[in-house]
Structures are given as structure tokens and as C-alpha cells.
């Protein structure tokens, strides 16, 4: 949001540019008296100082060095301001931050006024690695695609390369990233932050059940969930997506209406054997821990 929304004015999920979206303009006003009242350079610099995967070991310790503590307090203070403003403007009881880097969760966990609960969504590492090797254009960027080194697919980390495509990683690097992010969220749970682990595959099989579990974990009611099962066949599943104000993320966030929920299993047939073996070997301990081995793997 800071970089792609406030600074680069990319498109919000509602279709407007960030600077033209009423919702985000109100949030900026309530939080800071307007986005132009804060220095996003400052936020971005603080992020570079504290919100990094390599900072996780330090962030997980009881006591922080004074300088890191000061930077962290300032950095998470910006987030608290935004979350409170989102709650005020939307009237929502809970705010979902759909960003995916574990390091931000470690930062937020240290703020006493943020009641942080983390949903740890895991997916088979082979599917994630395969997805990271494929390209998806980013319609929220107006510049033409041309940077072949940046792209993405469905379901991975927070992406968005600098070109017209989402970021891609080679399989071994994707495996390392998968291990680091998942391992970090397990560490966060051991340090006392409430963490709910859900599997992508279980969500696809029973979305309503997964959403009920997630809502209960977040402490919000789930009476009327926008998901269901196809009436004709009793098998197919769908979600009803309304317009949303996502500040950045996967291009699928622009889709609204009733959409089918389908597992993306392309990796099972399309992923080259050598890549699959590499990723399986590199991610074996957690892959096994999450129950992904022993099926048709
Ligand atoms: Zn919007």
C-alpha cells in the first residue's frame, strides 16, 4: 500500500487509482490528516530497517536493541493508524491485512495495541514453486510488459515485480522462500502469537468450513458467508466477490461477481520432474509436517 498505492498511485481493487479512491482517501484523512501529511519515504526506510526476513531472529527475541525498538515502534505506529482508520471508515469489527510476509507479522506482534491474529495459509510447496515459475501480467501497471525476469501465478507470497508482470523465482529459490516464510510463522506461534494454520487444498475442498474456522479465530460472526456449493451438481463450489479496496496484490483481486472455486493442480502434470524432485527434497520436513506426502505426490 505504501509504495504501490500512496507513492505510485496504482489501481485499487475498486478500479480507481489509489489517489482517486474515496475509501483510501478517507482512510488517509482519518489516520494522518491526509496521505500528504506523512512521509512515505520514511515508512519505506523504516520497513527496510525492521521489516525484513533477516530481522526475524532479532524480532523474535524478548528484548530488542534500543535503536531497533525505536524504529519498530515508529514503523508499527503507522500501521496502527491505518488499521484504526480502516475500522472507523468501514465500520468493520476486524481488519484483514492480506499482506503475506512473515516479517511484518513479527513486527506487528510486538505492538501492545494491535490484537494480532495470524492466519497461516499453507499450500503444497510444489504447487507454490510451479506457480512462481509462471507469468501473470499485472493489469494494475500501465507500463508494457518487457521485464522477463519478474512475473507470478496464483498463490504465493506478496508479489508484484517492477515490470508489467508479477515476480517469478526459479524453483530452488521458491523452495527456500517457502521454507523461510512457513518456518517463520511456526516460530511466531511458538512465541505466543495466535496463529491458525489453514491449508489451501482444504479451503478448496470445503470453503465454507474453512471460512467459519477463520471467522471464529478472528472473533467475528460468520452468518452469511459468500460461498456455496453448486445446486445442480452438489460438487462445484463458488464464491461471490464484491468490489473491494485492495491496495495491491494478485490480478485476480479485480474479479467480482460469482466465481468458481477450483484448486489449481496444474503443477501435477505440467511441472518438470527435475524441478519437482528438487522442490520436494528442499522442503521435505515441512511438506511432511503439513501432511502433503503420502497422497498422490
Ligand atoms: Zn478503492
Amino acid at each position: 500500500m505504501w509504495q504501490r498505492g500512496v507513492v505510485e498511485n496504482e489501481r485499487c481493487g475498486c478500479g480507481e487509482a489509489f489517489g482517486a479512491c474515496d475509501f483510501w482517501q478517507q482512510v488517509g484523512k482519518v489516520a494522518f490528516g491526509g496521505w500528504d501529511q506523512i512521509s512515505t519515504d520514511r515508512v519505506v526506510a523504516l520497513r527496510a530497517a525492521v521489516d525484513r526476513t533477516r530481522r526475524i531472529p532479532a524480532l523474535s527475541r524478548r528484548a530488542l536493541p534500543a535503536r531497533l525498538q525505536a524504529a519498530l515502534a515508529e514503523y508499527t505506529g503507522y500501521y496502527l493508524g491505518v488499521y484504526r482508520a480502516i475500522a472507523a471508515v468501514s465500520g468493520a469489527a476486524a481488519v484483514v491485512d492480506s499482506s503475506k510476509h512473515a516479517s511484518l507479522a513479527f513486527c506487528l506482534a510486538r505492538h501492545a495495541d494491535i490484537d494480532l491474529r495470524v492466519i497461516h495459509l499453507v499450500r503444497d510447496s510444489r504447487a507454490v514453486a510451479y506457480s512462481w515459475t509462471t507469468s501473470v501480467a499485472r493489469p494494475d501497471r500501465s507500463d508494457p510488459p518487457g521485464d522477463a525476469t519478474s512475473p507470478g501465478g496464483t498463490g504465493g507470497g506478496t508479489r508484484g515485480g517492477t515490470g508489467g508482470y508479477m515476480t517469478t523465482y526459479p524453483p530452488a529459490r521458491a523452495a527456500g522462500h517457502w521454507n523461510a516464510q512457513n518456518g517463520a510463522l511456526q516460530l511466531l506461534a511458538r512465541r505466543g502469537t495466535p496463529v491458525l494454520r489453514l491449508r489451501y487444498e482444504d479451503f478448496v475442498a470445503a470453503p465454507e468450513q474453512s471460512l467459519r474456522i477463520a471467522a471464529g479465530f478472528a472473533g467475528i460472526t460468520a452468518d452469511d458467508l459468500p460461498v456455496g456449493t453448486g445446486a445442480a451438481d452438489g460438487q462445484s463450489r463458488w464464491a461471490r466477490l464484491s468490489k473491494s479496496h485492495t491496495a495491491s496484490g494478485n490480478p485476480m483481486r479485480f474479479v467480482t461477481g460469482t466465481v468458481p472455486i477450483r484448486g489449481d493442480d496444474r503443477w501435477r502434470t505440467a511441472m518438470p520432474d527435475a524441478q519437482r524432485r528438487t522442490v520436494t527434497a528442499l522442503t521435505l520436513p515441512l511438506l511432511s509436517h503439513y501432511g502433503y506426502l503420502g497422497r498422490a505426490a
Side-chain angles (χ1 to χ4, degrees), residues 11-18 20-24 243-247:
R11 277 168 64 202
C12 175
C14 70
E16 297 286 349
F18 185 87
C21 166
D22 279 344
F23 175 78
W24 283 111
K243 196 169 79 171
S244 67
H245 297 286
T246 46

Side-chain angles (χ1 to χ4, degrees), residues 42-291:
R42 178 69 186 157
V43 179
V44 169
L46 286 165
R47 179 171 63 199
V50 300
D51 185 359
R52 307 298 293 266
T53 300
R54 63 184 160 77
R55 286 286 191 201
I56 288 177
L59 291 169
S60 66
R61 282 196 286 270
R62 206 171 292 275
L64 288 184
R67 253 186 68 208
L68 186 58
Q69 177 58 45
L72 183 68
E74 188 185 349
Y75 180 64
T76 51
Y78 285 108
Y79 278 86
L80 180 62
V82 170
Y83 295 149
R84 280 185 169 154
I86 289 172
V89 172
S90 67
V95 175
V96 180
D97 183 334
S98 60
S99 58
K100 300 180 188 70
H101 285 133
S103 56
L104 178 59
F106 274 85
C107 292
L108 298 172
R110 300 190 72 106
H111 199 303
D113 294 335
I114 297 176
D115 176 12
L116 178 69
R117 302 173 202 189
V118 176
I119 292 180
H120 177 191
L121 185 66
V122 298
R123 188 182 179 194
D124 191 306
S125 57
R126 283 82 51 101
V128 173
Y130 176 71
S131 167
W132 279 98
T133 61
T134 55
S135 298
V136 169
R138 298 182 60 221
D140 40 356
R141 297 289 297 214
S142 52
D143 45 346
D147 179 2
T149 62
S150 45
T154 51
T158 299
R159 337 263 201 83
T162 51
Y165 284 95
M166 297 181 75
T167 312
T168 53
Y169 285 155
R173 206 173 143 215
H177 186 71
W178 188 91
N179 281 332
Q181 296 297 318
N182 286 299
L185 289 177
Q186 304 221 159
L187 174 64
L188 186 70
R190 290 200 295 276
R191 290 289 187 268
T193 297
V195 175
L196 171 69
R197 190 165 72 228
L198 288 176
R199 298 199 318 177
Y200 162 93
E201 296 80 1
D202 295 336
F203 170 80
V204 169
E208 192 170 346
Q209 189 188 355
S210 287
L211 285 188
R212 283 197 193 288
I213 292 169
F217 174 72
I220 55 178
T221 53
D223 299 330
D224 192 20
L225 292 169
V227 291
T229 302
D233 58 9
Q235 290 292 316
S236 61
R237 314 199 185 281
W238 52 262
R240 195 166 289 132
L241 305 178
S242 50
K243 196 169 79 171
S244 67
H245 297 286
T246 46
S248 182
N250 192 292
M252 67 173 67
R253 71 198 167 93
F254 292 109
V255 177
T256 59
T258 301
V259 298
I261 297 176
R262 277 191 305 259
D264 181 354
D265 261 357
R266 279 173 302 177
W267 69 276
R268 290 185 182 278
T269 48
M271 190 174 193
D273 280 348
Q275 288 188 5
R276 183 167 166 156
R277 280 196 299 273
T278 299
V279 175
T280 303
L282 290 175
T283 59
L284 202 57
L286 282 178
L287 203 55
S288 164
H289 182 67
Y290 297 149

